[in-house]
Amino acid sequence: MNHHSEQSAAFQLARLKSERLRILILLAAIGVVFSVRSVRTAFYHNSENIHLWLLTTAFLVVVVAYEWLMLRAVDRAIRDGRAMPTATWIATIILETSLPSFVIAFFSGTSVDPIYRPLANPAILVFFIFIILSTLHLNPAASQLSGFVAAASYLAAALYVGWRPSFAPGDSIMAPNKIVSVYAISMIVAGFVAGAVSREVRKQVEAALREAETRRQMEHLEHDLEVARSIQQSLLPSTMPVVEGFEIAAWNKPADQTGGDYYDWQQLSDGKTLVALADVTGHGIGPALLAAVCRAYARANFLGGHGLMNAMERINASLSLDLKEGRFVTFVAAVCTPGSSNVELLSAGHGPLFLYFLKHDCFENMNAQGLPLGISSSFVSDPPVVLELERGDMLVLATDGFFEWANAQGEQFGTVRMEENIRATKEKPPSEIISNLYKAVIEFSGGTAQQDDLTAIIIKRT
């Protein structure tokens, strides 16, 4: 666990909850010990046992009162969202781990030989309970400190009751004057073992906290993306324009929650209707923001009645200041005149453009007249072209997400399949033609993921 994790509010909360659990377990253990001691005193009651029981009861009352105060302090820290002082942790470890030594020193029976009192008192087992519970401090150093305190206080209690160490080489290692030292060393070893366990527990806590934080961030990001998606979708026209002599339909499906494609239409001051399609490089939240900016520039400049060429120059000048190197926008605009068969078309880097002639049942693919927007501060383009459409002819504007969608074998849908599908549904309304085209692409892909945004506009002469 690194220093940053220790200082995090999430880790401090986990540590406080772990400490609360440790105190509750300790209180439960005290209850069990007191019950066993009381039953034993009841069966083997004599003046010495009753006296020791009273002393033990008074001692445990003090211990329980201290642990209850600690539990209250931990609950307040959890409620207030603050950490416990380091000094409190250290003091608690020292006080708690020293408790069994007080029992050995002052509550051992007088009938036991002094040299055996450090070994015969059951309180020696309590040392190891405290060492085990120290792992819930989630701090390896705390467990190691618990082992050292247990060993030191145990030796001090043993010396107090009359035990003396022996360094004579002839004595057995199982002799009382040597086994006490072995127990003390075992406590230190137990502290290091508990520290290793505590370190692993901390790693698991850290991993769980990281996973929870990552999940929280992902949920927050998904919420933000969903909001961005709803905003972007709200920018798309809710209805299509009604233009005498034409039937127009458009459709969009981003590859992610948000995309870099968009379509739009607006009524011009001279009564004509402009239909536009744009494709920002990439897909996701960044291109979506650029698409919204491009839409705003386009609406402002086309509405001014400057003409396709002049408006495109103004849009390009604005976008070139916003886009970083490597970013650009392909943009195509078509102007339909009510009651006329003419469609004025200008494409800035967007192609191919599909023009279908019903009379000849064939497609003509057109290239863009100019460079994509944002590549250069000046817009380089040929003049707009004027298309004359007869009944049943169609102008199909689509982003490359359609014909570049590949199946599992890496084969792309392609423009030929796209043209064949449109030709097969040429008698249908434009909205149904787009719907059938999308279904054909999905069927061809065989379940491969959509890699790019899909946007299509069909202008059909009626």
Side-chain angles (χ1 to χ4, degrees):
M1 180 78 68
N2 56 41
H3 178 72
H4 175 74
S5 297
E6 288 190 4
Q7 299 304 317
S8 70
F11 176 76
Q12 291 298 340
L13 178 61
R15 191 177 186 185
L16 287 170
K17 288 183 177 180
S18 181
E19 175 66 9
R20 188 178 191 279
L21 175 62
R22 191 192 67 81
I23 294 174
L24 292 174
I25 293 175
L26 181 58
L27 289 173
I30 291 174
V32 172
V33 170
F34 178 74
S35 300
V36 172
R37 187 72 176 84
S38 299
V39 171
R40 183 181 177 185
T41 302
F43 276 98
Y44 304 101
H45 58 278
N46 55 46
S47 58
E48 182 182 7
N49 282 344
I50 294 175
H51 177 70
L52 288 176
W53 180 83
L54 291 174
L55 290 178
T56 302
T57 300
F59 178 74
L60 291 180
V61 167
V62 174
V63 173
V64 169
Y66 174 79
E67 295 298 337
W68 181 78
L69 291 174
M70 279 297 299
L71 184 62
R72 291 282 303 275
V74 170
D75 286 337
R76 284 196 301 270
I78 293 174
R79 184 178 63 251
D80 299 338
R82 57 179 177 82
M84 296 281 287
T86 303
T88 303
W89 295 104
I90 296 176
T92 299
I93 293 170
I94 294 175
L95 287 173
E96 290 181 349
T97 315
S98 301
L99 291 178
S101 63
F102 284 95
V103 177
I104 293 173
F106 300 108
F107 302 145
S108 294
T110 56
S111 60
V112 181
D113 192 298
I115 197 173
Y116 287 102
R117 288 177 186 175
L119 303 175
N121 197 313
I124 191 174
L125 301 176
V126 181
F127 280 115
F128 295 96
I129 294 177
F130 280 110
I131 293 173
I132 292 172
L133 289 177
S134 70
T135 58
L136 293 177
H137 286 298
L138 302 182
N139 189 331
S143 297
Q144 294 165 5
L145 176 62
S146 180
F148 280 110
V149 171
S153 62
Y154 174 61
L155 291 175
L159 290 170
Y160 180 81
V161 297
W163 169 83
R164 294 295 180 269
S166 174
F167 302 100
D171 292 345
S172 170
I173 193 173
M174 301 304 293
N177 52 7
K178 286 193 174 182
I179 200 69
V180 170
S181 301
V182 173
Y183 280 4
I185 295 173
S186 299
M187 293 174 189
I188 296 175
V189 173
F192 278 93
V193 172
V197 173
S198 179
R199 184 176 292 105
E200 290 304 312
V201 173
R202 285 172 60 140
K203 289 180 180 178
Q204 298 302 320
V205 171
E206 182 185 32
L209 291 176
R210 278 201 307 266
E211 182 179 355
E213 177 64 17
T214 301
R215 188 183 300 112
R216 186 192 67 81
Q217 292 177 353
M218 288 297 296
E219 290 174 354
H220 183 71
L221 178 60
E222 289 176 0
H223 175 265
D224 289 346
L225 287 175
E226 186 59 35
V227 171
R229 174 183 173 83
S230 64
I231 293 174
Q232 186 181 37
Q233 291 296 311
S234 68
L235 295 178
L236 296 176
S238 57
T239 60
M240 293 311 299
V242 178
V243 183
E244 182 185 354
F246 296 94
E247 188 174 3
I248 303 173
W251 178 83
N252 167 266
K253 187 178 188 300
D256 296 325
Q257 283 94 334
T258 56
D261 290 4
Y262 85 90
Y263 66 86
D264 195 20
W265 70 269
Q266 60 188 120
Q267 199 79 31
L268 303 181
S269 57
D270 57 4
K272 298 178 180 180
T273 299
L274 180 136
V275 181
L277 181 148
D279 183 0
V280 181
T281 51
H283 52 84
I285 190 66
L289 293 174
L290 293 177
V293 171
C294 181
R295 175 184 180 274
Y297 288 151
R299 285 206 156 216
N301 286 285
F302 284 123
L303 197 60
H306 303 293
L308 283 183
M309 192 69 175
N310 187 270
M312 204 76 83
E313 290 174 349
R314 292 168 178 263
I315 298 170
N316 178 77
S318 299
L319 283 175
S320 63
L321 299 176
D322 297 335
L323 298 179
K324 294 182 179 180
E325 185 176 353
R327 290 280 191 184
F328 58 87
V329 180
T330 63
F331 191 99
V332 57
V335 177
C336 301
T337 303
S340 171
S341 60
N342 293 339
V343 175
E344 186 180 9
L345 182 71
L346 181 58
S347 173
H350 192 88
L353 310 173
F354 301 91
L355 186 60
Y356 174 73
F357 297 101
L358 178 62
K359 183 178 180 179
H360 305 288
D361 192 25
C362 67
F363 276 89
E364 177 184 329
N365 292 346
M366 300 175 56
N367 295 321
Q369 288 82 47
L371 294 177
L373 302 178
I375 287 184
S376 172
S377 58
S378 59
F379 180 57
V380 180
S381 175
D382 292 332
V385 297
V386 178
L387 307 175
E388 186 172 350
L389 303 182
E390 298 181 358
R391 181 184 178 280
D393 292 349
M394 288 183 288
L395 174 62
V396 180
L397 310 177
T399 55
D400 52 13
F402 280 98
F403 46 83
E404 290 184 357
W405 196 331
N407 57 21
Q409 291 71 41
E411 182 184 6
Q412 294 183 347
F413 186 70
T415 59
V416 174
R417 289 189 181 88
M418 183 171 171
E419 292 174 357
E420 290 175 350
N421 183 269
I422 295 174
R423 181 184 288 109
T425 57
K426 60 182 180 292
E427 300 297 337
K428 297 181 180 295
S431 59
E432 292 187 29
I433 296 175
I434 296 175
S435 177
N436 288 329
L437 175 61
Y438 175 66
K439 291 178 182 178
V441 174
I442 290 293
E443 183 178 352
F444 171 82
S445 68
T448 59
Q450 179 183 343
Q451 300 296 325
D452 202 357
D453 304 324
L454 302 176
T455 306
I457 297 176
I458 293 181
I459 301 174
K460 186 176 184 180
R461 178 72 173 153
T462 61

